Amino acid sequence: MDASDMQEDLVEVLITEEQIQTRLAELAKEVWEHYEGEDLLLVGVLKGAVMVMADFMRHLPGSAPMDWMAVSSYGSGTKSSGVVRILKDLDADITDKHVLIVEDIIDSGLTLSWIRANLESRSPASVEILTLLRKPDAAKVEIDTRWTGFDIANEFVVGYGLDYAEGYRNLRDVATLAPHVYS
Ligand code: PRP
């Protein structure tokens, strides 16, 4: 789905599909060099990270396995609740593995800070975070994010995996949602 298919629901396209791909390719190169020769496991957080994971891992110049977690942090609205619950845990044992969490967005940081602490308690070799988007002005907790695609303003964004009430995830770009949609 392109932004032109839903123009009336959007305010503006913030980051285009092309900009996303260019940045993911750069990040993939950096990540690959960082983990050269190590036992790397990519961990995605459902569902928002589906697009980032699919594109990021295809930019890697070699093979790396992926695994997924599902947690609940938001309801269907636009505000972070801070409540984190595991809905689906990893399939893999991450003991002694280098874990790279691949996320779509860090908003308040509450979800990732909880997930990171949870994964660190399982004796991995390391845990790092890659996120496509980060909202520095929305941070409620400090998160050490090793790789960030783009810092954005504290606005409600959809597309490229990010949803509003489970919609808009299949928009190719990242865009701001028009207030009339959610108010
Ligand atoms: C989004 C996003 C992060 C989290 C970030 O997930 O994918 O996991 O919110 O918010 P925070 O930094 O304020 O904790 P969401 O719970 O909306 O679920 P989804 O991935 O299924 O859309």
Side-chain angles (χ1 to χ4, degrees), residues 95-156:
T95 308
D96 297 333
K97 287 186 180 155
H98 290 277
V99 173
L100 176 61
I101 302 172
V102 176
E103 257 290 28
D104 52 338
I105 189 164
I106 299 180
D107 200 318
S108 68
L110 294 168
T111 309
L112 250 290
S113 112
W114 189 92
I115 291 175
R116 179 181 215 151
N118 181 282
L119 296 183
E120 277 172 347
S121 74
R122 306 183 194 191
S123 309
S126 68
V127 179
E128 299 288 357
I129 295 171
L130 177 147
T131 185
L132 178 68
L133 305 172
R134 187 174 57 172
K135 291 184 183 174
D137 296 342
K140 289 188 180 151
V141 287
E142 276 294 309
I143 298 249
D144 179 14
T145 308
R146 183 137 201 158
W147 293 283
T148 301
F150 302 91
D151 279 331
I152 59 170
N154 190 10
E155 297 175 300
F156 194 74

Side-chain angles (χ1 to χ4, degrees), residues 70-108:
V71 300
S72 71
S73 58
Y74 293 6
S76 59
T78 62
K79 285 191 81 181
S80 180
S81 68
V83 177
V84 178
R85 194 160 55 93
I86 295 184
L87 304 176
K88 184 223 169 282
D89 207 344
L90 297 176
D91 296 331
D93 177 351
I94 61 170
T95 308
D96 297 333
K97 287 186 180 155
H98 290 277
V99 173
L100 176 61
I101 302 172
V102 176
E103 257 290 28
D104 52 338
I105 189 164
I106 299 180
D107 200 318
S108 68

Side-chain angles (χ1 to χ4, degrees), residues 27-43 53 56-57 60-67 92-102 124-130 146-147:
L27 292 173
K29 193 165 171 285
E30 286 175 32
V31 165
W32 197 253
E33 283 168 9
H34 177 81
Y35 289 105
E36 202 185 345
E38 304 284 8
D39 196 4
L40 172 65
L41 175 68
L42 307 174
V43 168
M53 177 70 94
F56 167 75
M57 74 187 302
L60 291 174
S63 178
M66 67 172 163
D67 202 346
D93 177 351
I94 61 170
T95 308
D96 297 333
K97 287 186 180 155
H98 290 277
V99 173
L100 176 61
I101 302 172
V102 176
S126 68
V127 179
E128 299 288 357
I129 295 171
L130 177 147
R146 183 137 201 158
W147 293 283

